[in-house]
């Protein structure tokens, strides 16, 4: 397959939320990513983005997403301009709409990471060039491309037979995206979370609608043991977001500890080949400032995943992290050069 000759023609398209891609388009981007991965590993990458300029707007910090856009663009011959939280007028002295129209005159593509989904939607509406959502409070679409590529790499069965179970705090962008992408692609997708931390009604309705078309089985429950039974992949994310009030941490940790991914939870899958996914960063030990503070203060060894599971052979989190590069590169190549 040649990325410059995409069957579904993504040139000029934006990725503002997961469902901006159809199932076939999503899978085709993964095929492009797998090809680009092969080319990179073979040290033979044609530079399909030569001479293009890409803006990277980060209102929030990032390790993987920023690095994937920068390295992916560089590998393909494009230049990037990083606009960090205090490095542009966006939102302070200039509206999103005006910024979109300015950047669209200078750049060939724009990545945006920030809180408001409305902001990335407005960039997409007014920039006139592809805009890619690098995470908002609602969706994390580039993450899910990497996640499904990782699932495809490690599953010994077709995607439609895969059981993917997300456990923990499910009232966030990664859980939302996991639910709707699983539903769109026809997986058996399950969310296990306390009732107060489950995806909202709008996200669940979208997943239900998508599952009607794809044949996916969609479950949202607080019964973690039932949810993980026969799972092929367990997926979790951090329990505490930056900016969360410190007085809420104790309560949140107590509520979520039954949903921690630990050896006992892996056993409850009854699947010796179950794999562990995490979008990272993870609080699995006290090797970080925040990890040390939380673990000392609340007398726990780990938060959303134990160190034992994180470091086990079940864990494919670093393959997943590497796939951020190949999939982000693929969405740039597909939307900037596809037919
Ligand atoms: N998973 C993810 O988005 O990682 P970063 O915050 O490091 O970009």
């Amino acid at each position: 397959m040649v990325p410059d000759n995409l069957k579904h023609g993504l040139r000029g398209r934006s990725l503002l939320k997961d469902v901006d891609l159809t199932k076939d388009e999503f899978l085709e981007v993964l095929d492009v990513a797998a090809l680009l991965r092969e080319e990179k590993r073979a040290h033979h990458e044609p530079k399909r983005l030569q001479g293009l300029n890409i803006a990277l707007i980060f209102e929030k910090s990032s390790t993987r997403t920023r690095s994937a856009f920068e390295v992916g663009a560089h590998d393909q011959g494009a230049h990037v301009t990083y606009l960090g939280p205090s490095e542009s007028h966006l939102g302070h002295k200039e509206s999103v709409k005006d910024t979109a129209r300015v950047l669209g005159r200078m750049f060939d593509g724009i990545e945006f990471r920030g809180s408001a989904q409305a902001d990335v939607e407005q960039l997409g509406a007014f920039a006139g060039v592809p805009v890619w959502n690098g995470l908002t409070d609602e969706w994390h679409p580039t993450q899910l491309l990497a996640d499904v590529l990782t699932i495809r790499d490690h599953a010994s069965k077709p995607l439609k037979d895969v059981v993917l179970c997300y456990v923990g705090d499910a009232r966030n962008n990664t859980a939302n995206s996991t639910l709707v992408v699983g539903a769109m692609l026809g997986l058996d997708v399950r969310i296990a979370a306390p009732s107060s931390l489950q995806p909202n009604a709008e996200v669940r309705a979208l997943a239900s609608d998508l599952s009607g078309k794809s044949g996916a089985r969609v479950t949202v429950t607080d019964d973690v043991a039932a949810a993980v039974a026969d799972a092929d992949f367990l997926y979790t994310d951090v329990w505490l977001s930056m900016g969360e009030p410190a007085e809420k941490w104790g309560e949140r940790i107590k509520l979520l500890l039954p949903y921690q991914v630990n050896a006992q939870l892996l056993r409850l899958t009854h699947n010796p080949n179950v794999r562990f996914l995490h979008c990272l960063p993870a609080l699995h030990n006290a090797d970080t400032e925040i990890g040390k503070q939380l673990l000392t203060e609340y007398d726990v060894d780990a938060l959303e995943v134990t160190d034992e599971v994180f470091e086990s052979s079940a864990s494919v989190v670093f393959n997943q992290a590497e796939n951020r590069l190949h999939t982000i590169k693929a969405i740039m190549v597909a939307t900037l050069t596809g037919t």
Side-chain angles (χ1 to χ4, degrees):
M1 198 201 66
V2 184
D4 311 306
N5 189 20
L6 284 174
K7 218 170 13 185
H8 297 287
L10 297 179
R11 188 178 195 131
R13 295 263 299 274
S14 289
L15 180 63
L16 307 176
K17 53 189 182 302
D18 306 273
V19 293
D20 286 347
L21 296 175
T22 64
K23 174 182 177 178
D24 287 348
E25 288 168 346
F26 190 104
L27 295 174
E28 189 162 4
V29 173
L30 298 194
D31 291 341
V32 174
L35 180 73
L36 293 171
R37 182 170 62 186
E38 272 176 39
E39 288 181 354
K40 185 168 173 83
R41 288 179 180 168
H43 304 287
H44 179 71
E45 262 191 276
K47 296 197 183 306
R48 300 175 181 86
L49 304 182
Q50 190 87 50
L52 300 187
N53 288 291
I54 290 166
L56 304 178
I57 304 173
F58 279 86
E59 291 184 342
K60 293 179 168 186
S61 56
S62 164
T63 297
R64 280 143 288 269
T65 310
R66 176 180 173 181
S67 302
F69 271 101
E70 293 213 14
V71 175
H74 182 262
D75 282 350
Q76 289 287 318
H79 296 282
V80 298
T81 299
Y82 175 76
L83 298 169
S86 56
E87 287 168 326
S88 80
H89 296 305
L90 180 65
H92 312 290
K93 278 165 70 179
E94 192 160 38
S95 67
V96 176
K97 187 172 167 180
D98 290 355
T99 303
R101 288 179 288 180
V102 171
L103 296 183
R105 300 281 184 116
M106 299 188 186
F107 292 93
D108 301 286
I110 302 168
E111 180 277 351
F112 174 84
R113 168 174 286 201
S115 297
Q117 180 67 20
D119 286 350
V120 77
E121 300 274 353
Q122 202 160 37
L123 275 173
F126 291 97
V129 297
V131 173
W132 311 290
N133 177 346
L135 177 146
T136 60
D137 289 349
E138 283 177 56
W139 306 111
H140 200 354
T142 64
Q143 179 67 51
L144 263 289
L145 287 168
D147 300 345
V148 180
L149 181 60
T150 310
I151 289 170
R152 229 175 55 168
D153 291 341
H154 291 90
S156 53
K157 50 172 89 162
L159 275 182
K160 69 176 179 52
D161 297 328
V162 164
V163 180
L164 169 63
C165 183
Y166 179 101
V167 293
D169 178 0
R171 206 186 41 186
N172 63 32
N173 40 33
T174 303
N176 289 346
S177 286
T178 302
L179 191 64
V180 301
V181 168
M184 177 170 77
L185 300 184
L187 275 65
D188 182 337
V189 59
R190 306 169 185 177
I191 299 272
S195 53
S196 59
L197 295 177
Q198 294 177 352
N200 68 34
E202 206 180 321
V203 172
R204 291 167 71 159
L206 177 58
S208 166
D209 186 42
L210 290 163
S211 68
K213 294 172 193 139
S214 69
R217 292 122 295 157
V218 174
T219 308
V220 179
T221 178
D222 62 0
D223 185 344
V224 66
V228 301
D230 305 319
D232 298 298
F233 293 87
L234 295 185
Y235 191 0
T236 192
D237 193 359
V238 289
W239 292 347
L240 306 162
S241 301
M242 297 309 286
E244 201 105 45
E247 63 271 17
K248 297 255 179 203
W249 291 358
E251 202 182 297
R252 175 71 66 91
I253 290 168
K254 198 167 157 209
L255 183 64
L256 282 165
L257 269 177
Y259 299 85
Q260 183 188 62
V261 182
N262 52 35
Q264 169 61 7
L265 201 71
L266 259 57
R267 277 193 288 278
L268 286 174
T269 66
H270 309 295
N271 178 2
N273 298 314
V274 65
R275 303 289 189 152
F276 171 66
L277 297 166
H278 194 307
C279 56
L280 304 181
L283 285 172
H284 58 97
N285 60 25
D287 285 355
T288 62
E289 222 173 275
I290 186 133
K292 201 173 285 140
Q293 182 194 341
L294 288 167
L295 305 186
T296 312
E297 211 162 307
Y298 300 103
D299 194 27
V300 285
D301 295 332
L303 291 184
E304 73 273 10
V305 55
T306 59
D307 203 42
E308 182 184 9
V309 169
F310 188 87
E311 299 292 355
S312 73
S313 56
S315 175
V316 291
V317 298
F318 295 109
N319 302 70
Q320 189 183 358
E322 181 193 325
N323 281 336
R324 299 297 308 284
L325 168 62
H326 309 302
T327 47
I328 280 176
K329 192 189 288 181
I331 196 70
M332 288 193 286
V333 166
T335 56
L336 294 173
T337 72
T339 51

